[in-house]
Amino acid sequence: MKIDHIGIVVCDIQEALSVYEQALGLPLREVTPVPDQKVEVAFLPVGESNVELVQPTASDTGIAKFLEKRGEGIHHICIEVEDIEAALARLKEHDVQLIDGVPRKGAHGQVAFIHPKGAHGVLIELVEHST
Ligand code: CO
């Protein structure tokens, strides 16, 4: 397992890229829409991991409400797993509160979120990369 990415919610990806890409010098891998989650994301590799800038594209999602209420900043930490179904089954066995009981489609594979209430205040995303 490794930290796949750290998700940072931003109002405007292009504006955020002027800091993270141009000023900080991180390489930009891609900017891509994730229609299922009503966001646009930018991935900037940092070693084995990535910074993921996330801009909501609709106002009726959890992440849009997060941005409205708490402002820009760290939103979630994503851990890569080999088998997301097995990871979710294990979490359920331990009665951990989940947002997604079943995986859904993310930018790079199947993803599922653990509720912050289940993870001591941190929104955790799990990802199983599609091969
Ligand atoms: Co993410």
PDB file of all heavy atoms in Angstrom, residues 8 15-28 44-46 50-53:
ATOM      1  N   ILE A   8      -6.676  18.056  -2.679  1.00  0.00           N
ATOM      2  CA  ILE A   8      -6.801  19.438  -2.214  1.00  0.00           C
ATOM      3  C   ILE A   8      -7.945  20.081  -2.987  1.00  0.00           C
ATOM      4  O   ILE A   8      -7.914  20.120  -4.229  1.00  0.00           O
ATOM      5  CB  ILE A   8      -5.487  20.212  -2.455  1.00  0.00           C
ATOM      6  CG1 ILE A   8      -4.353  19.566  -1.660  1.00  0.00           C
ATOM      7  CG2 ILE A   8      -5.652  21.690  -2.081  1.00  0.00           C
ATOM      8  CD1 ILE A   8      -2.975  20.135  -1.954  1.00  0.00           C
ATOM      9  N   GLU A  15      -6.028  28.537 -11.522  1.00  0.00           N
ATOM     10  CA  GLU A  15      -5.387  29.437 -10.565  1.00  0.00           C
ATOM     11  C   GLU A  15      -4.474  28.650  -9.615  1.00  0.00           C
ATOM     12  O   GLU A  15      -3.366  29.084  -9.303  1.00  0.00           O
ATOM     13  CB  GLU A  15      -6.461  30.153  -9.743  1.00  0.00           C
ATOM     14  CG  GLU A  15      -6.382  31.661  -9.820  1.00  0.00           C
ATOM     15  CD  GLU A  15      -7.551  32.300  -9.104  1.00  0.00           C
ATOM     16  OE1 GLU A  15      -7.557  32.248  -7.855  1.00  0.00           O
ATOM     17  OE2 GLU A  15      -8.449  32.819  -9.788  1.00  0.00           O
ATOM     18  N   ALA A  16      -4.951  27.488  -9.177  1.00  0.00           N
ATOM     19  CA  ALA A  16      -4.150  26.658  -8.276  1.00  0.00           C
ATOM     20  C   ALA A  16      -2.903  26.143  -8.984  1.00  0.00           C
ATOM     21  O   ALA A  16      -1.833  26.016  -8.374  1.00  0.00           O
ATOM     22  CB  ALA A  16      -4.990  25.496  -7.745  1.00  0.00           C
ATOM     23  N   LEU A  17      -3.016  25.849 -10.288  1.00  0.00           N
ATOM     24  CA  LEU A  17      -1.859  25.363 -11.044  1.00  0.00           C
ATOM     25  C   LEU A  17      -0.766  26.417 -11.145  1.00  0.00           C
ATOM     26  O   LEU A  17       0.414  26.085 -11.228  1.00  0.00           O
ATOM     27  CB  LEU A  17      -2.281  24.921 -12.452  1.00  0.00           C
ATOM     28  CG  LEU A  17      -2.978  23.556 -12.527  1.00  0.00           C
ATOM     29  CD1 LEU A  17      -3.467  23.296 -13.941  1.00  0.00           C
ATOM     30  CD2 LEU A  17      -2.067  22.435 -12.050  1.00  0.00           C
ATOM     31  N   SER A  18      -1.154  27.672 -11.102  1.00  0.00           N
ATOM     32  CA  SER A  18      -0.130  28.715 -11.181  1.00  0.00           C
ATOM     33  C   SER A  18       0.754  28.679  -9.936  1.00  0.00           C
ATOM     34  O   SER A  18       1.913  29.078  -9.981  1.00  0.00           O
ATOM     35  CB  SER A  18      -0.763  30.100 -11.395  1.00  0.00           C
ATOM     36  OG  SER A  18      -1.351  30.555 -10.205  1.00  0.00           O
ATOM     37  N   VAL A  19       0.235  28.132  -8.847  1.00  0.00           N
ATOM     38  CA  VAL A  19       1.065  27.945  -7.648  1.00  0.00           C
ATOM     39  C   VAL A  19       1.745  26.576  -7.675  1.00  0.00           C
ATOM     40  O   VAL A  19       2.970  26.480  -7.630  1.00  0.00           O
ATOM     41  CB  VAL A  19       0.209  28.061  -6.357  1.00  0.00           C
ATOM     42  CG1 VAL A  19       1.070  27.758  -5.129  1.00  0.00           C
ATOM     43  CG2 VAL A  19      -0.422  29.437  -6.262  1.00  0.00           C
ATOM     44  N   TYR A  20       0.953  25.503  -7.784  1.00  0.00           N
ATOM     45  CA  TYR A  20       1.497  24.148  -7.623  1.00  0.00           C
ATOM     46  C   TYR A  20       2.395  23.731  -8.793  1.00  0.00           C
ATOM     47  O   TYR A  20       3.384  23.038  -8.598  1.00  0.00           O
ATOM     48  CB  TYR A  20       0.355  23.137  -7.425  1.00  0.00           C
ATOM     49  CG  TYR A  20      -0.206  23.209  -6.032  1.00  0.00           C
ATOM     50  CD1 TYR A  20      -1.256  24.070  -5.726  1.00  0.00           C
ATOM     51  CD2 TYR A  20       0.350  22.446  -5.010  1.00  0.00           C
ATOM     52  CE1 TYR A  20      -1.752  24.156  -4.439  1.00  0.00           C
ATOM     53  CE2 TYR A  20      -0.149  22.522  -3.716  1.00  0.00           C
ATOM     54  CZ  TYR A  20      -1.195  23.382  -3.442  1.00  0.00           C
ATOM     55  OH  TYR A  20      -1.671  23.471  -2.162  1.00  0.00           O
ATOM     56  N   GLU A  21       2.041  24.142 -10.016  1.00  0.00           N
ATOM     57  CA  GLU A  21       2.852  23.762 -11.175  1.00  0.00           C
ATOM     58  C   GLU A  21       3.922  24.825 -11.442  1.00  0.00           C
ATOM     59  O   GLU A  21       5.107  24.546 -11.448  1.00  0.00           O
ATOM     60  CB  GLU A  21       1.957  23.589 -12.412  1.00  0.00           C
ATOM     61  CG  GLU A  21       2.731  23.148 -13.645  1.00  0.00           C
ATOM     62  CD  GLU A  21       1.905  23.216 -14.925  1.00  0.00           C
ATOM     63  OE1 GLU A  21       0.851  23.883 -14.936  1.00  0.00           O
ATOM     64  OE2 GLU A  21       2.341  22.620 -15.923  1.00  0.00           O
ATOM     65  N   GLN A  22       3.478  26.056 -11.629  1.00  0.00           N
ATOM     66  CA  GLN A  22       4.416  27.070 -12.095  1.00  0.00           C
ATOM     67  C   GLN A  22       5.333  27.575 -10.990  1.00  0.00           C
ATOM     68  O   GLN A  22       6.540  27.653 -11.175  1.00  0.00           O
ATOM     69  CB  GLN A  22       3.651  28.202 -12.768  1.00  0.00           C
ATOM     70  CG  GLN A  22       3.146  27.753 -14.155  1.00  0.00           C
ATOM     71  CD  GLN A  22       1.919  28.503 -14.624  1.00  0.00           C
ATOM     72  OE1 GLN A  22       1.834  29.708 -14.424  1.00  0.00           O
ATOM     73  NE2 GLN A  22       0.979  27.803 -15.214  1.00  0.00           N
ATOM     74  N   ALA A  23       4.787  27.900  -9.825  1.00  0.00           N
ATOM     75  CA  ALA A  23       5.624  28.469  -8.769  1.00  0.00           C
ATOM     76  C   ALA A  23       6.354  27.386  -7.977  1.00  0.00           C
ATOM     77  O   ALA A  23       7.547  27.491  -7.704  1.00  0.00           O
ATOM     78  CB  ALA A  23       4.776  29.326  -7.832  1.00  0.00           C
ATOM     79  N   LEU A  24       5.638  26.303  -7.625  1.00  0.00           N
ATOM     80  CA  LEU A  24       6.265  25.238  -6.834  1.00  0.00           C
ATOM     81  C   LEU A  24       7.072  24.296  -7.720  1.00  0.00           C
ATOM     82  O   LEU A  24       8.015  23.653  -7.257  1.00  0.00           O
ATOM     83  CB  LEU A  24       5.166  24.486  -6.069  1.00  0.00           C
ATOM     84  CG  LEU A  24       5.563  23.466  -5.001  1.00  0.00           C
ATOM     85  CD1 LEU A  24       6.464  24.099  -3.948  1.00  0.00           C
ATOM     86  CD2 LEU A  24       4.316  22.898  -4.339  1.00  0.00           C
ATOM     87  N   GLY A  25       6.708  24.206  -8.987  1.00  0.00           N
ATOM     88  CA  GLY A  25       7.497  23.422  -9.932  1.00  0.00           C
ATOM     89  C   GLY A  25       7.125  21.955 -10.032  1.00  0.00           C
ATOM     90  O   GLY A  25       7.876  21.159 -10.574  1.00  0.00           O
ATOM     91  N   LEU A  26       5.970  21.552  -9.518  1.00  0.00           N
ATOM     92  CA  LEU A  26       5.551  20.159  -9.683  1.00  0.00           C
ATOM     93  C   LEU A  26       5.149  19.931 -11.140  1.00  0.00           C
ATOM     94  O   LEU A  26       4.543  20.791 -11.760  1.00  0.00           O
ATOM     95  CB  LEU A  26       4.352  19.843  -8.771  1.00  0.00           C
ATOM     96  CG  LEU A  26       4.573  19.975  -7.271  1.00  0.00           C
ATOM     97  CD1 LEU A  26       3.306  19.570  -6.527  1.00  0.00           C
ATOM     98  CD2 LEU A  26       5.749  19.130  -6.802  1.00  0.00           C
ATOM     99  N   PRO A  27       5.501  18.746 -11.684  1.00  0.00           N
ATOM    100  CA  PRO A  27       5.074  18.459 -13.053  1.00  0.00           C
ATOM    101  C   PRO A  27       3.565  18.204 -13.092  1.00  0.00           C
ATOM    102  O   PRO A  27       3.006  17.647 -12.146  1.00  0.00           O
ATOM    103  CB  PRO A  27       5.840  17.171 -13.394  1.00  0.00           C
ATOM    104  CG  PRO A  27       6.151  16.531 -12.087  1.00  0.00           C
ATOM    105  CD  PRO A  27       6.241  17.635 -11.067  1.00  0.00           C
ATOM    106  N   LEU A  28       2.939  18.616 -14.175  1.00  0.00           N
ATOM    107  CA  LEU A  28       1.500  18.365 -14.330  1.00  0.00           C
ATOM    108  C   LEU A  28       1.311  17.130 -15.191  1.00  0.00           C
ATOM    109  O   LEU A  28       1.769  17.083 -16.329  1.00  0.00           O
ATOM    110  CB  LEU A  28       0.821  19.576 -14.991  1.00  0.00           C
ATOM    111  CG  LEU A  28      -0.667  19.409 -15.324  1.00  0.00           C
ATOM    112  CD1 LEU A  28      -1.503  19.175 -14.071  1.00  0.00           C
ATOM    113  CD2 LEU A  28      -1.170  20.626 -16.099  1.00  0.00           C
ATOM    114  N   LEU A  44      -0.600  16.039 -10.084  1.00  0.00           N
ATOM    115  CA  LEU A  44       0.784  16.502 -10.140  1.00  0.00           C
ATOM    116  C   LEU A  44       1.641  15.526  -9.339  1.00  0.00           C
ATOM    117  O   LEU A  44       1.556  15.487  -8.110  1.00  0.00           O
ATOM    118  CB  LEU A  44       0.901  17.915  -9.560  1.00  0.00           C
ATOM    119  CG  LEU A  44       0.037  18.986 -10.262  1.00  0.00           C
ATOM    120  CD1 LEU A  44      -1.128  19.397  -9.387  1.00  0.00           C
ATOM    121  CD2 LEU A  44       0.878  20.189 -10.610  1.00  0.00           C
ATOM    122  N   PRO A  45       2.425  14.686 -10.015  1.00  0.00           N
ATOM    123  CA  PRO A  45       3.229  13.688  -9.316  1.00  0.00           C
ATOM    124  C   PRO A  45       4.251  14.309  -8.352  1.00  0.00           C
ATOM    125  O   PRO A  45       4.873  15.327  -8.664  1.00  0.00           O
ATOM    126  CB  PRO A  45       3.957  12.953 -10.452  1.00  0.00           C
ATOM    127  CG  PRO A  45       3.176  13.237 -11.681  1.00  0.00           C
ATOM    128  CD  PRO A  45       2.566  14.592 -11.479  1.00  0.00           C
ATOM    129  N   VAL A  46       4.361  13.667  -7.192  1.00  0.00           N
ATOM    130  CA  VAL A  46       5.408  13.996  -6.204  1.00  0.00           C
ATOM    131  C   VAL A  46       5.971  12.655  -5.763  1.00  0.00           C
ATOM    132  O   VAL A  46       5.346  11.962  -4.977  1.00  0.00           O
ATOM    133  CB  VAL A  46       4.839  14.728  -4.975  1.00  0.00           C
ATOM    134  CG1 VAL A  46       5.965  15.122  -4.022  1.00  0.00           C
ATOM    135  CG2 VAL A  46       4.020  15.927  -5.366  1.00  0.00           C
ATOM    136  N   ASN A  50       0.962  11.678  -5.534  1.00  0.00           N
ATOM    137  CA  ASN A  50       0.499  12.812  -6.338  1.00  0.00           C
ATOM    138  C   ASN A  50      -0.198  13.838  -5.455  1.00  0.00           C
ATOM    139  O   ASN A  50      -0.785  13.480  -4.434  1.00  0.00           O
ATOM    140  CB  ASN A  50      -0.563  12.362  -7.353  1.00  0.00           C
ATOM    141  CG  ASN A  50      -0.035  11.403  -8.385  1.00  0.00           C
ATOM    142  OD1 ASN A  50       0.486  11.809  -9.419  1.00  0.00           O
ATOM    143  ND2 ASN A  50      -0.155  10.119  -8.096  1.00  0.00           N
ATOM    144  N   VAL A  51      -0.141  15.081  -5.905  1.00  0.00           N
ATOM    145  CA  VAL A  51      -1.079  16.073  -5.397  1.00  0.00           C
ATOM    146  C   VAL A  51      -2.246  16.058  -6.376  1.00  0.00           C
ATOM    147  O   VAL A  51      -2.043  16.085  -7.591  1.00  0.00           O
ATOM    148  CB  VAL A  51      -0.435  17.473  -5.333  1.00  0.00           C
ATOM    149  CG1 VAL A  51      -1.507  18.543  -5.154  1.00  0.00           C
ATOM    150  CG2 VAL A  51       0.576  17.548  -4.194  1.00  0.00           C
ATOM    151  N   GLU A  52      -3.459  15.953  -5.855  1.00  0.00           N
ATOM    152  CA  GLU A  52      -4.653  15.994  -6.691  1.00  0.00           C
ATOM    153  C   GLU A  52      -5.410  17.282  -6.365  1.00  0.00           C
ATOM    154  O   GLU A  52      -5.918  17.437  -5.253  1.00  0.00           O
ATOM    155  CB  GLU A  52      -5.556  14.782  -6.414  1.00  0.00           C
ATOM    156  CG  GLU A  52      -6.850  14.797  -7.221  1.00  0.00           C
ATOM    157  CD  GLU A  52      -7.891  13.808  -6.700  1.00  0.00           C
ATOM    158  OE1 GLU A  52      -8.103  13.733  -5.470  1.00  0.00           O
ATOM    159  OE2 GLU A  52      -8.503  13.116  -7.508  1.00  0.00           O
ATOM    160  N   LEU A  53      -5.453  18.185  -7.323  1.00  0.00           N
ATOM    161  CA  LEU A  53      -6.271  19.384  -7.146  1.00  0.00           C
ATOM    162  C   LEU A  53      -7.669  19.050  -7.632  1.00  0.00           C
ATOM    163  O   LEU A  53      -7.839  18.485  -8.716  1.00  0.00           O
ATOM    164  CB  LEU A  53      -5.689  20.547  -7.960  1.00  0.00           C
ATOM    165  CG  LEU A  53      -4.231  20.915  -7.662  1.00  0.00           C
ATOM    166  CD1 LEU A  53      -3.743  21.967  -8.648  1.00  0.00           C
ATOM    167  CD2 LEU A  53      -4.072  21.408  -6.226  1.00  0.00           C
TER     168      LEU A  53
END
